[in-house]
Structures are given as structure tokens and as C-alpha cells.
Amino acid sequence: MPLQPGEVLTRVRGPVITREVIAEFAQASGDHNPIHLDRDAAVAAGHDDVIVHGMYVMALVGNHLRRVVDPSLIRAFTVRFAAVTSVNSSLDVTITVADRSVGEPEDVVELAVDATRDDGTRVVVGTARVAVPVGDGRSANETALRGAR
């Protein structure tokens, strides 16, 4: 059965993002902006505490996408940050089929990708465009998407 708009491919809760994780990401990325590492600087900028790097959040969401879709099939992945992610949060990531286009040599499936904080605030709204090669049958190759759930 072909993927249908509205079909949820995955809904998963990510790990708690601790100060240690934020510090390790700052070291790895070279992004030492004080709002990620220094509580006083974060409070002075209007936050309750340090906030998670946006690129870490995008990588976390992308990692969940990679678990659902063979990375070689991903043609585009974009996100918009709707809110900040605070230290000691975990994110619920949901990937849903948004649309489908039939074509040759591949169909294109548009996925809606979003992440919400523990308190229900949406922090990421995104999309991924995924190619589904047309093989012996249009639905036969969709196991690459469905099988990873």
C-alpha cells in the first residue's frame, strides 16, 4: 500500500539534553556562544537558563529522519526554529507523510518533520523531500521508509 498523506512514520522521544551534552557540542562545533554555556549570559539575553544550540537540535531531528529513511534517498531537509530548546529538555520528534508526487525514475515523498519540547511547545518545523525509486511496483520500494519504524 503506498504511503498516504497524514501517515505517521515515526514519533520518538529523544534523550534529555544536559549541560554536559551542550558543552560537548560546543567543543565539537566550535560554537562557544555564552548563551549555550553560561547561565548568567543566557539570563541576561532573556532566557531562564542556557539554551541548546540550534544546530544540535537540527542534528538530533536529522538523526531520527535518518533512522526512518535511507540517507541516500533524502533530497532535501530544511527546518525552521519556532522556539528555543532549554537545557534538561527532551524533544518529541514526529515524521509524517505530507504529500506524494508520482514520477520516473522515482516518486517523491514530502515529509513533515517537527519536534516539540516536554511542555508541548513546538521548537522545530521542517520538511524532508525523499526519493522513492520506482522498481517492480510503486509500493515495493516504500519499505525503505516504513521498515525503520
Side-chain angles (χ1 to χ4, degrees):
M1 177 171 179
L3 293 167
Q4 298 298 315
E7 182 177 347
V8 175
L9 296 180
T10 190
R11 182 173 287 129
V12 64
R13 174 160 288 199
V16 173
I17 306 168
T18 64
R19 289 180 194 285
E20 292 77 21
V21 168
I22 295 169
E24 288 172 1
F25 186 81
Q27 190 67 27
S29 68
D31 182 351
H32 298 282
N33 186 324
I35 64 171
H36 302 304
L37 302 168
D38 181 320
R39 184 179 190 284
D40 293 336
V43 169
H47 305 288
D48 294 333
D49 203 336
V50 297
I51 62 172
V52 181
H53 298 79
M55 289 309 297
Y56 179 83
V57 173
M58 185 176 182
L60 183 72
V61 172
N63 189 46
H64 290 299
L65 176 63
R66 175 189 68 76
R67 291 178 181 178
V68 175
V69 177
D70 177 343
S72 70
L73 301 178
I74 299 171
R75 299 296 182 256
F77 173 48
T78 60
V79 300
R80 179 179 58 81
F81 298 103
V84 299
T85 301
S86 303
V87 64
N88 297 321
S89 293
S90 62
L91 299 177
D92 290 320
V93 177
T94 304
I95 301 174
T96 307
V97 176
D99 197 10
R100 176 191 188 97
S101 301
V102 176
E104 296 289 339
E106 58 194 25
D107 292 352
V108 176
V109 177
E110 296 283 338
L111 302 176
V113 180
D114 69 58
T116 56
R117 293 189 311 226
D118 310 58
D119 66 2
T121 302
R122 183 178 280 167
V123 297
V124 167
V125 178
T127 60
R129 187 175 317 117
V130 178
V132 179
V134 177
D136 296 330
R138 291 202 179 274
S139 62
N141 291 308
E142 293 181 5
T143 51
L145 298 175
R146 284 203 171 101
R149 284 190 274 181

